[in-house]
Amino acid sequence: MPAPSRPTPVAVPGPDTPVAELAGVGPGKAAKLQRLGVTTVRDLLFHLPRRYEDSRDVRPLRELRPGPDPQAVRARVTHISMRPAHRGRRMMLIEATVEDDGARASVIWFNQPFLLREIHQGDELLLNGKVEFGSRGLTIKNPTREHVREGTLHVGRLVPVYPETEGLASRWLRERIEPLLPVAEALEDPLPPRVRAEENLLPLADALRQVHFPDEPALLDRARERLAFEQLFLLQLAVQRAKRRRLAGVGVAVPYRPEVAQTFTSSLPYRLTNSQRVAAYVIFQDMAAEGPMNRLLQGDVGSGKTVVAAMAAHMAHAAGCQTAFMAPTEILARQHHATLSNLLAPHDISVRLLVGSTSQKARREVIQGIAGGHDDVLVGTHALIEDDVVLARLGLVVVDEQHRFGIMQRQRLRAKSAVMPNFLAMTATPIPRSLWLAMWGDVDLTDIREMPPGRAPVQTDVVPPHARADAYALVREQVQQGRQAFVICPLIEESDKLEVRSAVQEYERLRDEVFPDLRVELLHGRMPAKEKDERMQRFATGQADVLVSTSVVEVGVDIPNATVMMIEGAERFGLAQLHQFRGRVGRGSHASWCLLLQGSPDEEGSARLRAVAENQSGFDLAETDLRLRGEGAVLSSEMRQHGFPNAGVEDLLQHGLMERVSAAAGRWLDQDPDLSSHPPLTARMGRYADVYDLD
Ligand code: ADP
Ligand code: MG
């Protein structure tokens, strides 16, 4: 293939100049940059360092000492040569001798033969590297180097180190980015000058200069603050604007009728907890208001969210509205269908079920019943989203375990009605407050922090590999007392198939070797829905003692007689997931256990498992998770899930910044509601608006 003709490097690049046209960027490098999402000069300026090497402390050569930390020196080359590292091997060594004020040291570089062309006898160098005492005296190994005459990009300053990328060395990036810094002056700053002044933030060009080549640590902090502020500010504007629009828009109003609520609660076999009462009240107020409700109900497994949702459906029904109730799995949808039927049928509300495995004939009937308005509540999985499912009087949408659905799926369900229905999401995986503020600010939040009375906490233990027998003994003892146990098989990310195979093996091992006298059942995600259901049913009705399963039992499954949750390879699961598993037991009046079997004993994994053992509440656990993983990491991953490709706030986010940003965005919207008064800001809103605006 002929080499593509190379454009002559542009004399004066601008923000939109393709990187491929820059001096020193060949087609190969350009392709590598592209893989990082960098195609223009602007992109390159926003390719931020991951960390910095501090070599500001340049010492005289005579102060050099062997030690583990890199040391920076300035010295003159008196000799440089190359030889093979070992006889007959290809690896080449560059050896140099450097001197300064009578002191002398050796320098070794491995496999960088080109250095022989770049460094010559008599050159004055800045070097930064680890120092050892070897056969040739003090030796600096593989140092970063720079000629003194060239100024300081690589040594003698806070040196930027960019995220590891095959074939794109930090050194190369520094040399490309530094000459482009003046271009940053031409970038339009999306932050309005007023916001910048009020928040005392650096101008964009200064921030970019300082984040790549900081003059001092304090300026680096301010640069990072400014860049994170900008991203979060745009996000907040989109989120808060969406909320203001929603509240000003027209939705299905469901009048609040206290006597209707009263009828429902008096039909319950228990008293609502205070949390449930407050949550229901807030939801009634939301539904009665002109603008549509958009609320997230957070509460631990077993805190009784479903009955609150049922109250809302009951109130909606009294106003002549239908309710759609969506759950992430078929097992869960069936369970909700049963629960809601129990709760609502006494009030003459008909509840129907629609899932993937519903037969064509049954499906037609359900769809007709709902479209004709004979049926009132439709419970199901993604199957509800299909176009031919029409809910003419849809007034309330409930989505359980909402984080398991994509934004689009949730929106399609809401869009089934001509008028925006009220939306209630539920989750047992609480969102930490700062994250909620950042990403979910258009959603109102209600917590159920109280559990129904009489629930004993689940005793949670981390079980090291050598104590496995104790875990089995507990299972056996519980079964002998008439209880049941779950065994969760390790998560295998790469392949469904492998996961199923390992679950089958574990099942056979437990059935044949460990518990030959017990009734062991198997459940995994690849079984046909009907079979899953039957097996689940056998376990639920006490025809099996031990249920070996993959993570399909994660959410919702309600089996009050189960008292042991044993999780193999526990460190492979996320904290929220482990907490969900734990929520499968402790649902009856018996004492129960959650055993976290540790597969591999690593530090980080242990800390996470301890956190699960120490925190009974999902709210506390979410905060701990945030602390362990870092606010920025959690926020970045959430942003990526929302489709923001450059969600690089990970390393930038500083404590308390989110609150400031949120307040600033609110003030800005007060005086610029349609975001038109600062054009560079308007121009940047597109992507954010796409994610948040429903219309
Ligand atoms: P969640 O969906 O929040 O995990 P559920 O709604 O499934 O919890 O409720 C868990 C169990 O607690 C159910 O069996 C439900 O009947 C019961 N329950 C709910 N509220 C109360 C209450 N106030 N008092 C006693 N039991 C309750
Ligand atoms: Mg639930």
Side-chain angles (χ1 to χ4, degrees):
M1 203 164 60
S5 67
R6 237 172 96 42
T8 15
V10 281
V12 186
D16 296 310
T17 305
V19 283
E21 292 175 19
L22 295 173
V25 183
K29 298 282 195 207
K32 286 186 172 117
L33 284 169
Q34 175 133 39
R35 244 171 273 148
L36 299 175
V38 175
T39 54
T40 64
V41 165
R42 177 187 283 104
D43 299 336
L44 192 52
L45 287 169
F46 278 93
H47 185 61
L48 304 185
R50 191 167 53 82
R51 61 184 181 87
Y52 300 83
E53 256 163 26
D54 187 353
S55 56
R56 283 174 297 165
D57 183 17
V58 178
R59 308 233 174 143
L61 199 54
R62 94 179 80 80
E63 286 184 18
L64 217 55
R65 301 283 178 274
D69 297 322
Q71 299 168 63
V73 294
R74 179 177 168 145
R76 190 171 295 280
V77 179
T78 55
H79 163 89
I80 183 161
S81 62
M82 178 159 72
R83 68 171 172 84
H86 306 281
R87 219 171 319 162
R89 291 277 187 82
R90 297 280 303 274
M91 157 108 78
M92 298 306 279
L93 278 187
I94 299 272
E95 287 176 331
T97 308
V98 294
E99 286 186 8
D100 165 44
D101 198 15
R104 166 191 293 218
S106 298
V107 184
I108 291 183
W109 284 283
F110 301 100
N111 253 2
Q112 302 186 47
F114 55 86
L115 286 180
L116 218 50
R117 291 192 304 274
E118 290 182 9
I119 301 175
H120 304 99
Q121 193 177 334
D123 287 356
E124 197 172 7
L125 296 181
L126 285 163
L127 299 167
N128 184 46
K130 282 188 199 168
V131 180
E132 286 177 8
F133 199 85
S135 55
R136 300 173 65 229
L138 276 182
T139 304
I140 314 175
K141 279 212 161 151
N142 251 351
T144 317
R145 84 291 169 190
E146 183 157 39
H147 282 86
V148 169
R149 62 182 142 79
E150 290 170 347
T152 51
L153 276 192
H154 310 295
V155 184
R157 56 160 28 262
L158 286 170
V159 182
V161 179
Y162 296 90
E164 295 287 323
T165 312
E166 183 81 30
L168 286 178
S170 282
R171 184 180 186 90
W172 184 86
L173 282 165
R174 280 174 219 136
E175 286 169 357
R176 301 288 86 68
I177 291 172
E178 200 270 344
L180 294 173
L181 289 172
V183 181
E185 304 286 346
L187 293 174
E188 296 196 307
D189 192 337
L191 280 184
R194 217 193 69 201
V195 173
R196 240 176 45 215
E198 280 173 6
E199 297 292 333
N200 188 25
L201 298 168
L202 290 181
L204 179 55
D206 294 358
L208 286 173
R209 175 174 292 279
Q210 292 299 327
V211 82
H212 287 291
F213 296 98
D215 289 328
E216 49 173 295
L219 279 169
L220 172 59
D221 285 346
R222 292 198 57 203
R224 291 153 61 93
E225 172 192 47
R226 141 78 220 213
L227 294 169
F229 194 105
E230 174 184 322
Q231 278 219 38
L232 297 173
F233 185 71
L234 295 171
L235 195 57
Q236 271 302 291
L237 288 176
V239 161
Q240 293 189 22
R241 184 176 56 166
K243 176 169 182 178
R244 288 178 188 215
R245 282 189 181 164
R246 168 171 61 80
L247 292 177
V250 178
V252 182
V254 172
Y256 171 47
R257 292 164 55 194
E259 76 283 4
V260 172
Q262 180 66 44
T263 312
F264 184 87
T265 44
S266 54
S267 74
L268 291 174
Y270 45 75
R271 280 171 55 84
L272 293 178
T273 62
N274 266 328
S275 290
Q276 285 172 314
R277 214 185 307 278
V278 170
Y281 184 74
V282 171
I283 289 168
F284 291 149
Q285 299 304 317
D286 272 2
M287 294 202 303
E290 182 76 1
M293 167 169 79
N294 189 19
R295 188 168 287 277
L296 175 63
L297 185 59
Q298 306 193 116
D300 254 317
V301 263
S303 61
K305 297 182 292 295
T306 317
V307 66
V308 174
M311 288 178 79
H314 180 251
M315 189 64 74
H317 178 257
C321 293
Q322 293 172 313
T323 295
F325 194 121
M326 186 161 74
T329 65
E330 217 168 299
I331 293 181
L332 203 51
R334 285 175 192 281
Q335 207 165 276
H336 278 313
H337 175 249
T339 308
L340 291 170
S341 298
N342 276 339
L343 290 168
L344 296 172
H347 303 278
D348 269 338
I349 299 179
S350 85
V351 184
R352 305 301 302 261
L353 176 72
L354 187 63
V355 292
S357 66
T358 306
S359 73
Q360 275 307 320
K361 182 155 165 289
R363 183 168 187 279
R364 259 197 310 277
E365 263 169 40
V366 170
I367 287 178
Q368 269 167 18
I370 286 289
H374 314 301
D375 296 315
D376 311 304
V377 176
L378 182 59
V379 183
T381 52
H382 305 84
L384 298 193
I385 299 173
E386 298 296 317
D387 285 335
D388 58 346
V389 180
V390 179
L391 295 107
R393 296 184 287 108
L394 184 59
L396 172 65
V397 171
V398 182
V399 175
D400 195 18
E401 303 299 338
Q402 56 89 26
H403 61 285
R404 310 254 306 214
F405 294 99
I407 284 214
M408 292 321 287
Q409 290 171 320
R410 302 199 295 256
Q411 289 183 5
R412 277 181 65 189
L413 190 54
R414 291 160 91 161
K416 288 206 172 284
S417 161
V419 184
M420 182 63 75
N422 296 291
F423 186 79
L424 177 66
M426 306 201 292
T427 185
T429 311
I431 300 174
R433 253 195 119 83
S434 55
L435 185 59
W436 165 70
L437 205 56
M439 297 302 298
W440 298 91
D442 67 329
V443 179
D444 298 307
L445 210 55
T446 302
D447 293 348
I448 299 190
R449 290 196 177 237
E450 201 178 354
M451 293 300 254
R455 299 270 164 80
V458 177
Q459 162 83 39
T460 307
D461 295 319
V462 180
V463 181
H466 64 262
R468 170 176 298 272
D470 298 347
Y472 291 145
L474 177 68
V475 169
R476 183 178 299 280
E477 180 225 34
Q478 282 295 299
V479 169
Q480 273 157 5
Q481 294 187 21
R483 306 283 84 78
Q484 292 164 284
F486 292 101
V487 177
I488 304 296
C489 301
L491 188 69
I492 299 180
E493 301 268 3
E494 310 83 63
S495 137
D496 227 21
K497 227 185 209 156
L498 284 181
E499 183 163 271
V500 168
R501 190 187 314 154
S502 95
V504 171
Q505 279 167 3
E506 181 66 8
Y507 161 70
E508 287 169 353
R509 196 178 67 82
L510 290 177
R511 183 194 58 189
D512 301 339
E513 294 165 31
V514 184
F515 302 124
D517 50 332
L518 306 185
R519 297 166 302 168
V520 183
E521 186 68 85
L522 171 69
L523 191 70
H524 62 66
R526 284 225 164 175
M527 289 174 176
K530 190 151 168 293
E531 191 177 344
K532 257 191 287 196
D533 223 46
E534 283 166 7
R535 291 176 182 234
M536 202 65 213
Q537 210 50 38
R538 279 207 290 275
F539 189 62
T541 53
Q543 298 171 62
D545 305 311
V546 178
L547 182 69
V548 180
S549 172
T550 54
S551 57
V552 291
V553 297
E554 180 191 341
V555 288
V557 175
D558 188 14
I559 299 185
N561 192 48
T563 55
V564 184
M565 168 57 69
M566 177 169 160
I567 303 163
E568 293 282 354
E571 70 281 354
R572 294 206 195 177
F573 294 98
L575 294 197
Q577 225 178 348
L578 291 173
H579 184 61
Q580 279 277 3
F581 287 138
R582 175 166 58 186
R584 297 308 107 221
V585 294
R587 300 173 79 86
S589 51
H590 311 287
S592 27
W593 289 264
C594 176
L595 306 177
L596 306 170
L597 277 89
Q598 202 170 2
S600 63
D602 74 284
E603 265 310 304
E604 199 197 321
S606 303
R608 294 171 62 246
L609 295 187
R610 268 200 311 280
V612 179
E614 284 160 12
N615 292 289
Q616 280 287 333
S617 139
F619 291 96
D620 297 343
L621 200 55
E623 294 297 336
T624 305
D625 193 18
L626 191 66
R627 252 199 325 278
L628 288 175
R629 283 163 66 199
E631 196 168 350
V634 174
L635 181 54
S636 292
S637 92
E638 188 74 18
M639 285 175 77
R640 263 184 286 273
Q641 281 173 38
H642 275 71
F644 299 105
N646 298 317
V649 292
E650 194 150 344
D651 306 315
L652 302 180
L653 197 62
Q654 294 160 2
H655 191 70
L657 185 59
M658 206 46 243
E659 277 77 6
R660 266 172 66 199
V661 171
S662 171
R667 288 195 303 274
W668 185 260
L669 277 171
D670 285 342
Q671 54 90 49
D672 183 19
D674 46 6
L675 300 179
S676 58
S677 74
H678 182 59
L681 175 63
T682 316
R684 285 286 299 281
M685 286 310 295
R687 141 153 268 126
Y688 294 86
D690 285 351
V691 172
Y692 284 97
D693 287 354
L694 302 173
D695 41 10

